[in-house]
Every structure is written in structure tokens, then in C-alpha cells.
Amino acid sequence: MKIMGLDYGDRRIGVAVSDSLGWTAQGLETIERRREGSEFERIAELVKLHEVEEIVVGLPKNMNGTIGPRGEICMAFAEELRSRLDLPVHLWDERLTTVSAQRTLLEADVSRKKRKGVVDKMAASLILQNYLDSKSIK
């Protein structure tokens, strides 16, 4: 069963997908949000192409665990995905995943221009991998 991970942002959505055993997450692509609703079409195409059965959307929480305006936007996005794709959509605490992705890319000496192109995809991979790891512990 494959699971898709999404790092939802104002301009871009990072996409990752698990292997069929649900053990590892691989970054897939970054979707540019150019026109209203186009991201849903692309996500639907990827769900079909990769035979995805569940989706995990990163939920940005404040450091004290509360949900702010950004988190509410992600919750609305997850609800829209649920209704459009008729798939289970889970929200996963994504605190510091983008920071972690940026740090990893900096340590790997990736240029600023290249970092911008892959950080969202990498953050989606981290969100999905954390979710997969939590499932394997249970």
C-alpha cells in the first residue's frame, strides 16, 4: 500500500511517495501553485500513477502545539483532498521539517538556487517518513 506525503505551502507543494511496503519515503516532485485548483488535478494524477491509497499532509503547529492560521489553511486543504479524491487523508505534525530539510541541504553544500527547488520535496519526504516510522513502531 503506497502513501503520499504532502508539504503544503502558499506557492509550492512538496510531494513524496512511499514504497509499496510503506517503509521508505522518496521525494517525487514539487507542484507549483499557478492557478486555483490546478494542484488538485496534479495530485489526482500522481495518486493514480503511483497507486496511492492514503495521503499524509503536513500540519504546521506552533512550537507550543497550538494550531495557527497556517495550520487551519492546511486543514482545509486536507479536507478538500479528502472530498475530491475519496481517500483517507491524515494530518501529521510537521514542526521543523522544512528547517531540517534546509539544514540538510546546507550541510550537503547545495546552492541556494538548487535548495529552493528541492526543499519542499525534501520536507514532504521527512513528513511522510516520520509518519511511516510512527506506524511501524505500533
Side-chain angles (χ1 to χ4, degrees):
M1 173 173 93
K2 288 190 178 181
I3 302 173
M4 177 180 282
L6 300 174
D7 178 43
Y8 184 79
D10 289 331
R11 292 187 300 262
R12 290 179 297 278
I13 301 170
V15 183
V17 70
S18 74
D19 62 275
S20 56
L21 296 174
W23 290 350
T24 61
Q26 295 86 33
L28 203 56
E29 69 177 66
T30 300
I31 299 170
E32 297 286 335
R33 297 184 60 217
R34 298 190 195 286
R35 60 180 172 82
E36 193 64 37
S38 64
E39 66 270 21
F40 293 106
E41 295 166 14
R42 182 62 185 149
I43 292 167
E45 289 171 4
L46 293 170
V47 162
K48 189 173 184 177
L49 179 67
H50 294 278
E51 300 173 346
V52 169
E53 295 179 31
E54 286 181 50
I55 298 175
V56 178
V57 176
L59 177 63
K61 291 184 176 181
N62 298 321
M63 291 312 288
N64 66 3
T66 60
I67 296 172
R70 185 88 217 120
E72 290 175 7
I73 291 168
C74 287
M75 290 168 71
F77 172 73
E79 190 55 46
E80 181 77 14
L81 273 177
R82 220 176 263 119
S83 67
R84 284 183 182 232
L85 300 177
D86 195 32
L87 287 175
V89 178
H90 312 284
L91 291 162
W92 188 256
D93 185 352
E94 70 161 35
R95 279 179 279 191
L96 302 179
T97 53
T98 302
V99 172
S100 177
Q102 289 273 20
R103 188 171 295 135
T104 301
L105 292 168
L106 278 169
E107 288 171 2
D109 204 27
V110 176
S111 72
R112 178 173 289 186
K113 186 176 181 179
K114 287 183 182 173
R115 274 197 316 264
K116 186 178 177 186
V118 298
V119 71
D120 299 302
K121 179 171 56 173
M122 189 170 192
S125 295
L126 288 169
I127 291 164
L128 180 55
Q129 190 63 58
N130 290 337
Y131 176 79
L132 296 172
D133 290 347
S134 78
K135 285 182 67 144
S136 67
I137 293 170
K138 294 177 183 171

